[in-house]
Amino acid sequence: MTDKKHYKYALVGNDISYTRSPEIHKAIADVIGINVGFEVADVPADGFERCVERLIATCDGFFVTKPYKLSVKRFLSEARTGGGVNVVDCKSRVGYNTDGIGFIRAVDSNLTDWRNKVKSALVLGSGGAAYSVAEALVKAGKRVYVLNRTLMNAAKLCAAVGAELYVNQPAELVVNCTSLGANGEDALSALCVLPDFEYAYDLAYVRRTAFLNRCERTGARVCDGLPMLVYQAIEGVKLITNVDVDVEEVYKGVREILKN
């Protein structure tokens, strides 16, 4: 029996005590047959640079979450994404973003038939996650609208990915990429949007949000952010380890572990 290869990962962000990343990465490691050490680096802005340099020197790779997906770029040799970076390969100092592919895989798995039924999608928010989701939807051939409380930020996102500003156009899919809902707020109410959608996805995963509850009450099929979190993590592990895995099989195995 050969020893399993060992990898060291980390997640860096601020105010991320809620994260499920350690258990998700342990589950991924168990499914694909590797050992993993995982650190959660919850650091304020004035400690971010020092933390990143330490992680690059000591880890095989690390994951990046709010609010550092854009600011981490200045420490890298290359960022292979126009938006925020959520995965860093420490050996090469190259950054990637797996949020977009993670989102599309999550919607394919949990809101089946959406590709045929959705012509237009509304993305709420304009941060790094919204960029990845909007870009992925545009690449999937959907017309994408963006709504954000700061109009200038929404316009910048639209220009970057080929989306349009939302002015009450009809859409079959709505995706909440804002922080609204994490503390109980209803993103649709806060942004004055009626819940007239066939599909609703919320990137939040810690608790069931008022946004999803309201959409579901009006007949929408809904999904929270956990599937996307798992998928983007699997895609990130592939980049860091160069281990070729069947993403869907790993996803099924991880979800079974997380149920128990």
Side-chain angles (χ1 to χ4, degrees):
M1 180 177 178
T2 58
D3 292 335
K4 295 179 181 179
K5 189 164 183 179
H6 184 83
Y7 295 90
K8 184 177 180 183
Y9 310 149
L11 173 70
V12 60
N14 184 231
D15 192 20
I16 54 171
S17 59
Y18 59 84
T19 183
R20 295 188 67 182
S21 287
E23 65 175 307
I24 288 171
H25 281 280
K26 182 181 185 307
I28 293 171
D30 289 345
V31 172
I32 68 177
I34 60 175
N35 286 320
V36 165
F38 197 95
E39 173 190 352
V40 175
D42 194 335
V43 295
D46 60 4
F48 180 61
E49 179 175 357
R50 185 168 59 254
C51 179
V52 168
E53 293 297 348
R54 177 179 65 80
L55 294 179
I56 288 174
T58 61
C59 292
D60 295 288
F62 62 92
F63 295 79
V64 187
T65 189
K66 68 173 184 77
Y68 301 130
K69 289 184 178 183
L70 291 174
S71 54
V72 73
K73 285 184 169 183
R74 69 180 187 271
F75 304 106
L76 307 178
S77 60
E78 182 183 358
R80 295 183 184 174
T81 170
V85 165
N86 77 317
V87 180
V88 175
D89 174 32
C90 293
K91 185 176 180 181
S92 63
R93 294 182 79 120
V94 172
Y96 304 87
N97 189 290
T98 62
D99 285 334
I101 189 172
F103 168 74
I104 293 295
R105 284 188 179 277
V107 179
D108 281 341
S109 294
N110 294 273
L111 300 178
T112 54
D113 76 10
W114 78 278
R115 286 184 183 263
N116 293 326
K117 294 190 175 181
V118 170
K119 295 179 180 179
S120 302
L122 169 60
V123 173
L124 306 178
S126 64
Y131 180 104
S132 299
V133 168
E135 182 181 50
L137 286 168
V138 169
K139 288 180 177 178
K142 308 306 178 185
R143 192 167 188 173
V144 177
Y145 307 112
V146 176
L147 176 63
N148 188 63
R149 285 181 291 189
T150 304
L151 181 61
M152 183 180 297
N153 292 342
K156 287 179 180 178
L157 173 54
C158 289
V161 304
E164 304 169 49
L165 289 172
Y166 178 69
V167 285
N168 297 318
Q169 302 97 323
E172 295 80 25
L173 167 67
V174 59
V175 186
N176 180 31
C177 302
T178 74
S179 59
L180 292 168
N183 296 315
E185 310 98 330
D186 181 346
L188 291 178
S189 293
L191 295 170
C192 301
V193 178
L194 295 175
D196 186 20
F197 303 94
E198 293 183 41
Y199 304 89
Y201 196 100
D202 197 330
L203 269 60
Y205 64 88
V206 176
R207 62 176 63 86
R208 183 66 177 269
T209 61
F211 162 81
L212 288 185
N213 287 335
R214 189 149 75 104
C215 288
E216 189 171 49
R217 284 196 300 271
T218 59
R221 292 172 59 190
V222 303
C223 184
D224 66 25
L226 185 59
M228 176 180 167
L229 185 67
V230 174
Y231 274 121
Q232 66 83 16
I234 297 169
E235 296 287 351
V237 168
K238 287 176 62 180
L239 291 168
I240 293 169
T241 65
N242 289 315
V243 175
D244 187 19
V245 300
D246 183 317
V247 173
E248 293 301 331
E249 288 301 315
V250 175
Y251 174 78
K252 290 176 186 176
V254 170
R255 289 306 301 260
E256 283 302 313
I257 291 171
L258 295 180
K259 285 179 185 177
N260 298 326

